Amino acid sequence: MKKGMFTLLIIVLMIAFVGCNSAQGTEGQGEESQQSQGKDTLVVGTSADFPPFESHEVVEGKDMIVGFDIDLLNEIAKELDVDIKIEDIDFNGLVAAVQTGKIDMAISGMTPKPDRLEKVDFSDSYFKASQALLVKKGIAKDIDSMDRLKGKIVASQLGTTSDDVISSFEGIEVKKYNRTNDAVLDLNNGRVEAVIIEDTIAKAYVDKNPGIEAVIPEDLNEEEEPFAIALPKGEKELLDKINGALKNIKDSGKYDELVEKWFE
Ligand code: ARG
């Protein structure tokens, strides 16, 4: 009797253990993380509101975060032989999350800039973009200069370079959003005149929202902005590995494949 109970207990424990493991697996992105055994896991933060770099999409009935950054990240993970766990964090909280060690790194179309460089290190750049505006369909032709937006409300994502850029124009009221999706929603609802966001992302939003279009006034951009991965300060070994992986991904042609998949 006693022995029987003991065996039963072991079986129950084993089932509970297996159950736990598979529950963890479904939280991770993609199959690799579910099949792996004993690999190190990098926890990576992203603000999944930035298509085609990172956004939520239902894939085979499951909510997934997909995009160029995510595919690039998975390629890096292959190179480094590690697993990835993705955390969706408001863009404005990503640098602090890296700095405090809540996440191991952030990939989120992030531009290295002086105030961020004081807090985190950046990988080599893997993309370049410039600022654009989203407006209601039909008005792009009228926005030939930023002056046209004086006295109007323009939406930006809190803590982004778009936010810096729009705030540098006098006379424009800036409304800041934690998530770009909400900014685009308010554009569709007529609560803001325009949304400032990088060109590649503007294009993705236009493709999904028939009522809006993109415009780039001549005086909007001073220069292109690089995108890079943010890492904790001083982690030279990880930084070198990531830069090595980025180089291999470019040299092997994989990078071009991803560009074609997501941008063409
Ligand atoms: N490149 C801009 C920046 O670094 C915007 C990035 C926003 N990324 C995002 N996933 N929402 O500030």
Side-chain angles (χ1 to χ4, degrees):
M1 260 311 257
K2 269 201 177 148
K3 199 175 168 208
M5 287 284 281
F6 184 67
T7 313
L8 190 68
L9 181 68
I10 295 287
I11 290 170
V12 169
L13 282 177
M14 276 172 73
I15 290 170
F17 183 66
V18 170
C20 269
N21 263 359
S22 61
Q24 251 173 22
T26 52
E27 266 173 35
Q29 290 266 321
E31 283 151 40
E32 276 105 331
S33 60
Q34 286 168 40
Q35 290 167 354
S36 66
Q37 280 166 355
K39 280 193 204 172
D40 285 342
T41 300
L42 283 179
V43 181
V44 183
T46 195
S47 178
D49 59 356
F50 207 62
F53 288 86
E54 46 264 339
S55 62
H56 284 267
E57 210 169 275
V58 177
V59 183
E60 288 162 12
K62 240 173 85 178
D63 175 40
M64 298 288 280
I65 297 175
V66 300
F68 179 84
D69 276 350
I70 309 304
D71 279 359
L72 186 65
L73 178 64
N74 283 323
E75 290 303 320
I76 293 172
K78 272 190 218 161
E79 293 275 332
L80 267 58
D81 195 30
V82 296
D83 282 328
I84 294 292
K85 183 170 184 292
I86 294 175
E87 299 223 352
D88 189 0
I89 298 174
D90 286 353
F91 188 80
N92 193 42
L94 282 173
V95 168
V98 173
Q99 212 184 358
T100 57
K102 185 173 182 277
I103 53 178
D104 297 309
M105 55 193 220
I107 187 162
S108 204
M110 194 184 285
T111 307
K113 60 182 188 114
D115 59 325
R116 291 178 185 157
L117 280 158
E118 276 174 21
K119 298 171 183 157
V120 293
D121 286 342
F122 281 96
S123 71
D124 293 339
S125 139
Y126 61 83
F127 200 82
K128 280 202 169 68
S130 45
Q131 301 292 331
L133 297 171
L134 288 171
V135 292
K136 275 252 169 92
K137 203 163 207 148
I139 80 151
K141 57 177 185 339
D142 302 328
I143 318 276
D144 51 355
S145 108
M146 293 302 285
D147 271 352
R148 305 278 179 167
L149 293 165
K150 277 203 172 143
K152 304 267 165 69
I153 307 174
V154 176
S156 67
Q157 185 173 29
L158 182 67
T160 58
T161 49
S162 306
D163 197 1
D164 298 341
V165 169
I166 196 69
S167 304
S168 71
F169 288 95
E170 263 172 50
I172 297 176
E173 189 182 331
V174 183
K175 193 166 175 204
K176 305 179 187 211
Y177 292 76
N178 283 320
R179 295 281 174 168
T180 62
N181 309 48
D182 294 328
V184 174
L185 202 69
D186 270 7
L187 175 64
N188 275 315
N189 293 337
R191 290 201 188 93
V192 298
E193 187 74 12
V195 177
I196 179 163
I197 200 156
E198 273 119 324
D199 48 5
T200 321
I201 298 86
K203 186 177 176 302
Y205 272 114
V206 168
D207 289 345
K208 284 187 201 155
N209 294 266
I212 62 179
E213 59 187 356
V215 58
I216 305 178
E218 248 184 302
D219 50 346
L220 177 59
N221 282 293
E222 274 171 13
E223 52 197 39
E224 281 192 316
E225 291 180 24
F227 289 176
I229 299 169
L231 300 150
K233 267 223 157 301
E235 288 206 16
K236 181 144 181 9
E237 207 188 312
L238 182 61
L239 181 65
D240 287 348
K241 279 191 193 163
I242 302 257
N243 283 338
L246 281 173
K247 187 174 182 305
N248 289 346
I249 292 162
K250 282 194 177 155
D251 291 350
S252 69
K254 191 73 210 173
Y255 179 88
D256 291 336
E257 270 176 44
L258 295 184
V259 167
E260 203 169 308
K261 173 176 172 190
W262 291 102
F263 308 119
E264 275 148 30

